[in-house]
């Protein structure tokens, strides 16, 4: 049996201020638009985010090509320091290789780099080594979707209509 002792870390630089990224992680309408890996989507009505100490975080992801495959994240915020860090303790169900009875911690750090840029750092686990590798790939995909979402915020709106 594989040990559950691996922590994954993913970092990405974004050309936007910390508070914009922080809101993307804490506002349900924003969160539901991007917080799923390719091939999945978040059910907007499932999103519950109460970013304060002891507040709840919950959402459901559904496989795009198989709505019978669902993945539920349910947890609580254990640290919230706007706009620097969010930490949650969560149980994840519906993913092969992840034991829903064993909580994982998700730490999201927002580091100001200057000139309106932010380094986003994701630290999550513990997982088995194989689950951490899969989940790390999932995070890369999720962060690609975050970039696409942020790009829509920076796109000038057509006001001629």
């Amino acid at each position: 049996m594989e040990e559950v002792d691996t922590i994954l870390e993913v970092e990405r630089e974004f050309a936007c201020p910390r508070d914009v990224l922080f809101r993307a992680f804490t506002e349900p309408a924003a969160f539901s638009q991007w917080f799923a890996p390719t091939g999945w989507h978040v059910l907007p009505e499932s999103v519950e985010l109460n970013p304060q100490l002891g507040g709840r975080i919950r959402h459901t992801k559904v496989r795009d090509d198989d709505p019978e495959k669902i993945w539920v994240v349910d947890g609580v915020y254990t640290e919230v320091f706007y706009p620097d860090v969010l930490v949650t303790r969560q149980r994840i169900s519906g993913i092969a290789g992840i034991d829903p009875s064993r909580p994982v911690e998700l730490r999201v750090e927002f580091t100001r780099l200057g000139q309106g840029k932010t380094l986003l750092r994701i630290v999550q686990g513990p997982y088995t080594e194989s689950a951490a590798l899969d989940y790390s790939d999932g995070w890369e995909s999720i962060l690609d979707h975050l970039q696409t979402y942020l790009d829509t915020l920076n796109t000038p709106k057509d006001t001629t209509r």
Side-chain angles (χ1 to χ4, degrees), residues 9-12 107-111 119-123:
E9 295 182 39
V10 178
E11 291 184 345
R12 177 94 49 105
R107 180 178 186 85
V108 184
E109 299 172 356
F110 307 83
T111 304
L119 176 67
L120 183 71
R121 183 169 183 253
I122 306 293
V123 181

Side-chain angles (χ1 to χ4, degrees), residues 38-50:
T38 300
W40 295 80
H41 65 277
V42 173
L43 293 177
E45 65 275 13
S46 74
V47 178
E48 184 179 342
L49 303 174
N50 184 9

Side-chain angles (χ1 to χ4, degrees), residues 96-133:
I98 296 179
D99 180 354
S101 70
R102 173 171 278 174
V104 298
E105 182 175 275
L106 169 62
R107 180 178 186 85
V108 184
E109 299 172 356
F110 307 83
T111 304
R112 181 178 41 231
L113 297 176
Q115 299 178 331
K117 294 181 181 176
T118 302
L119 176 67
L120 183 71
R121 183 169 183 253
I122 306 293
V123 181
Q124 190 174 35
Y127 294 113
T128 62
E129 187 174 348
S130 59
L133 286 171

Side-chain angles (χ1 to χ4, degrees), residues 16-35 47 49-51 57 77 80-86 108-110 118 120 146 149-150 153-154:
C16 69
R18 292 183 305 168
D19 63 317
V20 172
L21 280 176
F22 196 92
R23 284 194 307 272
F25 274 86
T26 58
E27 293 179 357
F31 184 91
S32 65
Q33 292 182 52
W34 65 270
F35 198 78
V47 178
L49 303 174
N50 184 9
I57 178 171
Y77 289 92
V80 178
F81 297 102
Y82 173 84
D84 300 303
V85 68
L86 291 169
V108 184
E109 299 172 356
F110 307 83
T118 302
L120 183 71
L146 173 57
Y149 167 76
L150 294 169
L153 298 179
N154 295 324

Side-chain angles (χ1 to χ4, degrees), residues 156-161:
K157 305 290 184 237
D158 183 355
T159 58
T160 61
R161 294 184 198 176

